[in-house]
Amino acid sequence: MHFLLKFAPLVLGVSVCHGWLFGDFVGKQKELDEISLWPLPQKFQSSAVAFKLSPARFQIVHAKDSSAGPSCSLLDNAFRRYFEYMFGELKKHEKSRKKAFDSDLVELKVWITAADPECDGYPSLQTDESYELSVDEPSAVLKAANVWGALRGLETFSQLVYEDDYGVNNINKTVISDFPRFAHRGILLDSSRHFLPLKVILANLEAMAMNKFNVFHWHIVDDQSFPYMSRTFPELSQKGAYHPFTHVYTPSDVKMVIEFARMRGIRVIPEFDTPGHTESWGNGMKDLLTPCYSGSTPSGTFGPVNPILNSSYEFMAQFFKEISTVFPDAYIHLGGDEVDFNCWKSNPDVRKFMEQQGFGTDYSKLESFYIQRLLDIVAATKKGYMVWQEVFDNGVKLKDDTVVEVWKGNKMEEELQNVTGAGFTTILSAPWYLDYISYGQDWQRYYKVEPLSFPGTDAQKKLVIGGEACLWGEYVDATNLTPRLWPRASAVAERLWSDKSVTDVSKAYNRLVQHRCRMVKRGIPAEPLFVGHCRHEYKGL
Amino acid sequence: MHFLLKFAPLVLGVSVCHGWLFGDFVGKQKELDEISLWPLPQKFQSSAVAFKLSPARFQIVHAKDSSAGPSCSLLDNAFRRYFEYMFGELKKHEKSRKKAFDSDLVELKVWITAADPECDGYPSLQTDESYELSVDEPSAVLKAANVWGALRGLETFSQLVYEDDYGVNNINKTVISDFPRFAHRGILLDSSRHFLPLKVILANLEAMAMNKFNVFHWHIVDDQSFPYMSRTFPELSQKGAYHPFTHVYTPSDVKMVIEFARMRGIRVIPEFDTPGHTESWGNGMKDLLTPCYSGSTPSGTFGPVNPILNSSYEFMAQFFKEISTVFPDAYIHLGGDEVDFNCWKSNPDVRKFMEQQGFGTDYSKLESFYIQRLLDIVAATKKGYMVWQEVFDNGVKLKDDTVVEVWKGNKMEEELQNVTGAGFTTILSAPWYLDYISYGQDWQRYYKVEPLSFPGTDAQKKLVIGGEACLWGEYVDATNLTPRLWPRASAVAERLWSDKSVTDVSKAYNRLVQHRCRMVKRGIPAEPLFVGHCRHEYKGL
């Protein structure tokens, strides 16, 4: 009911009309039952008055005063995509010359208001994703500052459309004013433990857009394999990938992922995690990793990046120079988690270096020494960086715009308090490690998380810019990734987009059941929440 | 190493040859590493000597003395299926006129020895699935009493074939003598909690054949929906299915499932569970279910089948008469689990009946009363029946050939002891409820189960005829069923087929990794066991 209060000023003129329902629409009337918005918009009102949409007549068009026009291929592409979502791609949609009926909705006008619609730009942390949507006869109007808000509004519009008993598409009279609660709403996929074919990544970008996620955190390499094909150091994937041809991402694959994501308002933040998690790097880059010792002789195994050699830093400078040009986003994720000190401890040269530097036996100082130099290297590329929480915990000096990712489940609130207390921006992934599976409806657990429940000032809370659902790759590949991620990640999507007060699990259940069926209808094999069925079941295997 | 001893008499002539390796083949030599039999045959020996298979020359043919010939469409179909598994379906395989090289394997001769090859029959509990396979130049020979053993041997032969570094198919010189440890090796799928499209059922029958499973326990209806389209009582699915057209199994769908299974040596045992788990039956069959009462008035809800009305038994007689003709297998599963007595207790007519029968307040007597009459009805159709353990626990009088399914996890060994002690045949599913998921490699838990570890005589142990992996449908549908079932169910497959002594988990891991990649290559989205990759990753989504 808080929606009504918040929204009241905007709807004063119409709120006395018969049939308007505010806020909670999983409600009394048949028509409204079938609306299934996910994530729930910030402010909306819906009415029982319904309009019909004919695929032969309905159009998505640029508004007369829009700063974007037919040359805006991002929007053009989105118009066609959402038309297909609503009407299916198999039917022929020949234009009808018949006059529309009064009860028809004939068009959605998309009105970009800013001078620069950003058609050819990339979304960023600062992107304004807000939009306003009004559905009324004969036209619906979607208003947004730029294409990014328009993409979110198109998704919402398409979610408002529902099939009636005749299979006809309907949409109710609706007014929505919407914006995300958090600016960073991410999904982490891991293409190292298992290679993820391009098709899988693209399908999940599609699903992300359906859930208004806006960051693809691409944990692209790790100990197990190095599928990123580097132009500067081609041997990294030639020797570090599971297979140098079939299990790699070529430069054009990476470009395709970035462009596919951009078209959906999704940032691609690549993670190249060092100094730990780098076993696969060692295959193609001699002397990069620390040789581990067994007593006084090298054991033949290797540890983290060797932090005592200048060559390691020279390599990183060249490597990240490439990365900074390949990936357009302002941020690169530099990892920095779970560094195992045993190999460093075993190596006599490392021990000598520790002594020279006066680090004593505190190897976290050596870790910080490495990270500090790496951060300076990356800063020189003009990129911002994200790091896992250990980098902050170890007292490394960070640039002001660093984003610290809190992933450890224990003492999560304390960590948020510390990180924000030190004035750093942070995102939360600790409660959303979706690789951990269990019997039953674990989405509810993800849904119930309140990211700002830690003790702290308002200024501290503002530093929490979002969160990420992480699907680490130990147990997932092309065979099971997509149904394992969706709709479990949808719970995180709503938590990060919708108002803090949207916490009713049973209402969420009803909407999410429909949202997952919508994803299935659109070709995403999102798994069921519980017993039941979808009108259109998954057609794949 | 026990294989060597067992097999010694059979291989005396060749066991002195250079290069033979016995038993454990996940071994020292490169060629043998790539062999990945699953489930492991009872007796085998393999040699480092390898033959090449050319798709242009290799053939699977009937042996000259075989009782089966080209008119045996089951075998003909299987020959083509396994040829495709080995050589792929996309390449053109034009016959080559070039002479075979000495190192080629040019044919597999399939020799059916029994007078009746059973080409047009159905597999049964008594089916002989044993086979002998010898791979040597220029021909391999697969010998079996009938087509059922030949199917198992074809699967094994296809598993022996591996790609070398040139992508050429190779097979090592091998002798195998194989038979199943248990006769009943089943998979339970539940098409009521979620409707399973035919495509999903057929794909899983294919996967079952790859794992030498031989029973599809089709839990076809339950509380949630009644997708079985009955000719006698069409309203059951018209009103009880999730949707009367899109979410039902028509008579021809059922026929197709049975025939598809038959072609793979798989029995289809349908389960029509009563008197509980029948909510969906009530929609299309007036007065079948017990009306529940709230105080002295009917509450509008319904409980188990009404056991006090003759009409209930008349219905069951007609219904199971149909079922007995639709499903060719000698067994029908009658359920009988989890009967909730609350509704019966609330109903004054039921209470009165209890009094008349002298049951006191022991509602399990009423349950037994119902089941007893049902069993007599089904016995009249000349079918055998399977039941869940409660039916035995409640002391119902059972026919001698009844199969009691032990599903309760607690006191499982005690139950096996009791059931077999009473002289009844039993199958075990308690440790293999695969709908329960958890993080990590739970297949190992399934693998470590020893079905005969309960205290009992040899005669009692012989009454354990097998087991079933059950994937109940609360949380699975077309989107996620297949990767959730495979390769976790493969662990059960090996436990039920291979020798009792095959228990080494790390050796099993190495073979199962390859077996799951083989399933993926054959189009089954079997999920990964752990980090790694397949040469041919899954191409679907």
Side-chain angles (χ1 to χ4, degrees):
Chain A
M1 289 304 104
H2 68 280
F3 295 116
L4 174 57
L5 295 172
K6 281 192 184 167
F7 202 30
L10 276 163
V11 298
L12 214 59
V14 289
S15 66
V16 291
C17 297
H18 171 76
W20 283 104
L21 289 180
F22 296 91
D24 169 28
F25 53 74
V26 181
K28 298 138 208 165
Q29 291 180 254
K30 167 104 179 114
E31 293 87 348
L32 299 181
D33 275 349
E34 300 187 348
I35 300 173
S36 51
L37 296 178
W38 193 280
L40 200 66
Q42 295 282 347
K43 303 170 187 172
F44 68 94
Q45 57 177 350
S46 181
S47 137
V49 176
F51 310 115
K52 293 194 188 335
L53 285 79
S54 155
R57 277 189 297 267
F58 179 78
Q59 295 186 81
I60 309 178
V61 298
H62 295 282
K64 196 166 61 79
D65 296 328
S66 179
S67 61
S71 68
C72 183
S73 74
L74 184 146
L75 277 188
D76 192 53
N77 201 297
F79 291 179
R80 280 184 283 134
R81 184 165 71 248
Y82 282 102
F83 190 90
E84 279 187 12
Y85 282 161
M86 291 184 282
F87 299 109
E89 47 191 318
L90 296 174
K91 295 180 203 161
K92 293 214 169 166
H93 301 302
E94 287 179 26
K95 278 278 189 199
S96 169
R97 285 158 194 256
K98 285 188 191 159
K99 200 168 163 288
F101 292 94
D102 282 350
S103 60
D104 272 17
L105 186 77
V106 296
E107 61 183 4
L108 169 64
K109 292 181 180 166
V110 177
W111 182 4
I112 307 299
T113 57
D116 178 6
E118 302 186 27
C119 289
D120 301 312
Y122 288 91
S124 75
L125 187 53
Q126 287 74 37
T127 286
D128 175 6
E129 294 175 285
S130 67
Y131 66 91
E132 297 196 356
L133 177 62
S134 150
V135 178
D136 205 341
E137 57 178 336
S139 295
V141 178
L142 169 60
K143 201 170 156 184
N146 52 48
V147 294
W148 315 116
L151 287 172
R152 304 294 168 247
L154 283 165
E155 176 60 37
T156 301
F157 179 84
S158 73
Q159 293 190 0
L160 288 169
V161 174
Y162 61 92
E163 275 181 54
D164 67 15
D165 289 346
Y166 298 93
V168 170
N169 278 326
N170 277 252
I171 191 166
N172 286 33
K173 188 170 171 176
T174 303
V175 182
I176 289 177
S177 174
D178 200 12
F179 55 87
R181 181 177 173 208
F182 293 104
H184 183 119
R185 305 180 308 281
I187 294 282
L188 178 149
L189 297 182
D190 166 1
S191 57
S192 174
R193 271 73 179 222
H194 287 97
F195 180 75
L196 302 176
L198 211 57
K199 187 175 174 178
V200 171
I201 292 177
L202 301 187
N204 280 281
L205 288 167
E206 290 194 301
M208 285 173 66
M210 296 172 198
N211 289 274
K212 297 190 169 72
F213 275 107
N214 67 354
V215 177
F216 171 34
H217 176 167
W218 194 353
H219 188 86
I220 190 166
V221 302
D222 205 298
D223 283 330
Q224 287 79 6
S225 75
F226 196 102
Y228 173 78
M229 193 185 279
S230 163
R231 288 183 194 274
T232 323
F233 301 101
E235 294 214 322
L236 286 171
S237 63
Q238 272 164 25
K239 299 188 173 170
Y242 282 127
H243 189 283
F245 299 128
T246 58
H247 288 65
V248 293
Y249 302 107
T250 66
S252 94
D253 289 340
V254 172
K255 264 190 194 162
M256 199 185 301
V257 168
I258 292 167
E259 180 62 5
F260 197 90
R262 188 186 79 83
M263 298 291 266
R264 286 154 183 81
I266 297 169
R267 303 162 58 198
V268 178
I269 299 181
E271 177 181 353
F272 289 91
D273 190 356
T274 67
H277 290 280
T278 48
E279 195 179 325
S280 69
W281 301 51
N283 300 319
M285 187 48 54
K286 206 169 158 297
D287 296 334
L288 179 64
L289 304 185
T290 309
C292 313
Y293 276 66
S294 177
S296 60
T297 50
S299 67
T301 63
F302 294 88
V305 169
N306 194 331
I308 71 169
L309 299 181
N310 269 326
S311 57
S312 297
Y313 301 100
E314 283 157 13
F315 165 80
M316 291 296 166
Q318 280 188 274
F319 182 76
F320 279 103
K321 191 176 166 199
E322 171 183 323
I323 298 307
S324 72
T325 59
V326 168
F327 292 90
D329 198 80
Y331 284 83
I332 299 173
H333 201 303
L334 300 177
D337 60 320
E338 299 183 313
V339 181
D340 181 356
F341 296 147
N342 287 316
C343 184
W344 282 349
K345 284 178 188 169
S346 78
N347 183 304
D349 297 328
V350 173
R351 286 201 303 268
K352 195 171 155 196
F353 184 84
M354 291 281 290
E355 215 173 289
Q356 287 167 350
Q357 297 286 331
F359 292 163
T361 55
D362 184 353
Y363 283 83
S364 71
K365 285 187 178 155
L366 181 59
E367 180 183 350
S368 295
F369 173 87
Y370 167 82
I371 293 274
Q372 196 70 66
R373 288 188 64 173
L374 178 70
L375 295 187
D376 294 344
I377 285 166
V378 173
T381 69
K382 310 287 178 204
K383 291 283 186 182
Y385 39 74
M386 294 179 61
V387 290
W388 296 108
Q389 70 179 68
E390 286 96 322
V391 176
F392 169 81
D393 295 347
N394 288 339
V396 175
K397 187 165 170 275
L398 300 167
K399 280 201 302 178
D400 289 346
D401 64 349
T402 303
V403 177
V404 177
E405 183 156 11
V406 174
W407 69 275
K408 293 190 178 182
N410 62 332
K411 302 189 184 169
M412 170 185 105
E413 303 211 329
E414 197 180 313
E415 182 75 9
L416 287 172
Q417 203 181 353
N418 292 342
V419 172
T420 56
F424 288 105
T425 303
T426 186
I427 61 168
L428 184 64
S429 50
W432 296 315
Y433 267 38
L434 271 56
D435 48 322
Y436 292 110
I437 55 169
S438 57
Y439 184 74
Q441 300 196 38
D442 53 7
W443 71 271
Q444 298 186 0
R445 195 149 34 84
Y446 309 134
Y447 191 75
K448 286 173 184 163
V449 172
E450 170 43 53
L452 303 188
S453 64
F454 67 94
T457 63
D458 283 357
Q460 278 178 280
K461 308 275 167 119
K462 283 210 179 89
L463 290 169
V464 180
I465 56 165
E468 292 187 343
C470 300
L471 191 63
W472 295 99
E474 280 82 354
Y475 297 101
V476 292
D477 70 0
T479 62
N480 63 345
L481 184 146
T482 309
R484 190 165 288 189
L485 185 56
W486 308 103
R488 294 163 74 228
S490 302
V492 184
E494 179 149 301
R495 181 54 50 237
L496 295 175
W497 177 282
S498 303
D499 190 81
K500 184 178 179 173
S501 62
V502 179
T503 55
D504 187 314
V505 171
S506 78
K507 285 178 183 170
Y509 177 84
N510 292 329
R511 281 184 294 118
L512 191 51
V513 162
Q514 295 186 60
H515 181 53
R516 99 94 188 175
C517 283
R518 178 169 47 229
M519 287 193 274
V520 168
K521 190 180 172 188
R522 293 178 181 185
I524 304 295
E527 68 181 20
L529 295 178
F530 193 51
V531 298
H533 77 292
C534 296
R535 190 185 291 207
H536 305 275
E537 299 287 2
Y538 186 58
K539 298 287 181 229
L541 182 57
Chain B
M1 287 307 103
H2 69 280
F3 294 117
L4 175 57
L5 295 173
K6 280 191 184 168
F7 202 30
L10 275 163
V11 299
L12 213 58
V14 289
S15 64
V16 292
C17 296
H18 171 76
W20 281 106
L21 289 180
F22 296 90
D24 169 28
F25 52 75
V26 181
K28 299 138 205 166
Q29 291 181 256
K30 167 104 179 115
E31 293 87 349
L32 299 182
D33 276 350
E34 299 188 349
I35 299 172
S36 52
L37 297 178
W38 193 279
L40 200 67
Q42 296 282 346
K43 304 170 187 171
F44 68 94
Q45 55 177 351
S46 181
S47 139
V49 176
F51 310 114
K52 293 194 188 334
L53 286 79
S54 155
R57 279 190 296 267
F58 180 77
Q59 295 186 80
I60 309 177
V61 298
H62 296 281
K64 196 165 63 75
D65 295 329
S66 178
S67 62
S71 68
C72 184
S73 72
L74 184 146
L75 277 188
D76 193 52
N77 202 297
F79 292 178
R80 282 185 281 135
R81 184 164 70 248
Y82 282 102
F83 190 89
E84 279 188 9
Y85 283 160
M86 292 183 282
F87 299 108
E89 47 191 317
L90 296 173
K91 296 179 202 161
K92 292 212 171 169
H93 302 301
E94 287 180 23
K95 278 277 188 199
S96 168
R97 286 156 192 258
K98 286 188 189 158
K99 200 168 161 291
F101 293 94
D102 283 351
S103 59
D104 272 16
L105 186 78
V106 297
E107 60 182 3
L108 169 64
K109 291 179 180 166
V110 177
W111 182 4
I112 306 298
T113 57
D116 178 6
E118 302 186 28
C119 290
D120 302 310
Y122 289 92
S124 76
L125 187 53
Q126 288 73 37
T127 285
D128 175 6
E129 294 174 285
S130 66
Y131 65 92
E132 298 196 357
L133 177 63
S134 149
V135 179
D136 205 344
E137 58 178 336
S139 294
V141 178
L142 168 61
K143 202 170 155 184
N146 53 47
V147 294
W148 315 116
L151 287 172
R152 304 294 168 246
L154 283 165
E155 176 61 38
T156 301
F157 179 85
S158 73
Q159 294 191 359
L160 288 169
V161 175
Y162 60 92
E163 275 181 54
D164 67 15
D165 291 345
Y166 299 93
V168 170
N169 278 327
N170 277 252
I171 191 165
N172 286 33
K173 190 170 169 177
T174 305
V175 182
I176 289 178
S177 173
D178 199 12
F179 54 88
R181 182 178 174 207
F182 293 103
H184 183 118
R185 306 179 307 282
I187 293 281
L188 177 149
L189 298 183
D190 166 3
S191 56
S192 174
R193 271 73 178 223
H194 287 97
F195 179 76
L196 301 176
L198 210 57
K199 186 175 176 179
V200 171
I201 293 177
L202 300 186
N204 280 282
L205 288 167
E206 291 194 300
M208 284 173 66
M210 296 172 198
N211 289 275
K212 297 189 169 72
F213 276 107
N214 68 353
V215 177
F216 171 33
H217 176 165
W218 194 353
H219 189 85
I220 190 166
V221 302
D222 204 297
D223 283 329
Q224 287 78 7
S225 75
F226 196 103
Y228 173 77
M229 193 186 277
S230 163
R231 287 181 194 276
T232 322
F233 301 102
E235 294 216 321
L236 286 171
S237 63
Q238 272 164 25
K239 297 187 175 170
Y242 282 127
H243 189 282
F245 299 128
T246 59
H247 288 65
V248 293
Y249 302 107
T250 66
S252 94
D253 290 339
V254 172
K255 264 190 194 160
M256 198 184 300
V257 168
I258 293 167
E259 179 63 5
F260 197 90
R262 188 186 79 83
M263 298 291 267
R264 287 153 183 82
I266 297 170
R267 303 162 58 199
V268 178
I269 300 181
E271 177 181 354
F272 289 90
D273 190 357
T274 67
H277 290 279
T278 47
E279 194 180 325
S280 70
W281 302 50
N283 300 319
M285 188 47 54
K286 205 169 160 294
D287 296 333
L288 179 65
L289 303 184
T290 310
C292 314
Y293 277 65
S294 176
S296 61
T297 51
S299 67
T301 63
F302 295 88
V305 169
N306 194 331
I308 70 169
L309 299 181
N310 269 325
S311 58
S312 297
Y313 301 99
E314 283 157 14
F315 164 80
M316 291 295 166
Q318 279 189 273
F319 182 76
F320 279 103
K321 193 177 165 200
E322 170 183 324
I323 297 307
S324 72
T325 58
V326 167
F327 292 90
D329 199 80
Y331 283 84
I332 299 173
H333 201 303
L334 300 177
D337 59 319
E338 299 183 312
V339 181
D340 181 355
F341 296 148
N342 286 315
C343 182
W344 282 349
K345 284 179 188 168
S346 78
N347 182 304
D349 297 329
V350 173
R351 286 200 304 267
K352 196 171 154 196
F353 184 83
M354 291 281 290
E355 214 172 292
Q356 287 166 352
Q357 296 286 331
F359 292 164
T361 55
D362 184 355
Y363 284 83
S364 71
K365 286 187 177 157
L366 181 60
E367 180 183 351
S368 295
F369 173 88
Y370 167 82
I371 293 275
Q372 197 69 67
R373 289 189 64 173
L374 178 69
L375 297 187
D376 295 343
I377 284 166
V378 173
T381 69
K382 308 292 177 202
K383 291 284 185 181
Y385 39 75
M386 296 179 59
V387 289
W388 296 108
Q389 70 180 70
E390 286 96 322
V391 175
F392 168 81
D393 296 346
N394 288 338
V396 174
K397 187 165 171 276
L398 300 166
K399 279 200 302 176
D400 289 346
D401 64 348
T402 302
V403 178
V404 177
E405 182 156 12
V406 174
W407 70 275
K408 293 190 178 182
N410 63 332
K411 302 190 183 167
M412 170 185 104
E413 303 212 328
E414 197 179 314
E415 183 76 7
L416 287 171
Q417 203 180 354
N418 293 341
V419 171
T420 57
F424 288 105
T425 303
T426 185
I427 60 169
L428 185 63
S429 49
W432 296 315
Y433 266 39
L434 271 55
D435 48 321
Y436 293 110
I437 56 168
S438 57
Y439 184 73
Q441 300 196 39
D442 54 6
W443 71 270
Q444 299 187 358
R445 195 149 34 85
Y446 308 134
Y447 191 74
K448 287 173 183 163
V449 173
E450 170 43 53
L452 303 189
S453 64
F454 67 94
T457 64
D458 284 357
Q460 278 178 280
K461 308 274 166 120
K462 283 210 179 89
L463 290 169
V464 181
I465 56 165
E468 292 188 342
C470 300
L471 191 62
W472 295 100
E474 280 82 354
Y475 297 101
V476 291
D477 69 0
T479 62
N480 63 345
L481 184 146
T482 310
R484 190 166 289 189
L485 185 56
W486 308 103
R488 293 163 74 228
S490 302
V492 184
E494 180 149 300
R495 181 55 49 239
L496 294 175
W497 178 280
S498 303
D499 190 80
K500 184 178 178 174
S501 62
V502 180
T503 55
D504 186 315
V505 171
S506 77
K507 286 178 183 169
Y509 176 84
N510 292 330
R511 282 184 294 116
L512 190 51
V513 161
Q514 296 187 60
H515 181 53
R516 98 93 189 176
C517 283
R518 178 170 46 231
M519 287 194 274
V520 167
K521 191 180 172 189
R522 293 177 180 184
I524 303 295
E527 68 180 21
L529 295 178
F530 192 50
V531 298
H533 78 292
C534 295
R535 190 184 290 207
H536 306 275
E537 299 287 1
Y538 186 59
K539 299 286 181 227
L541 181 58

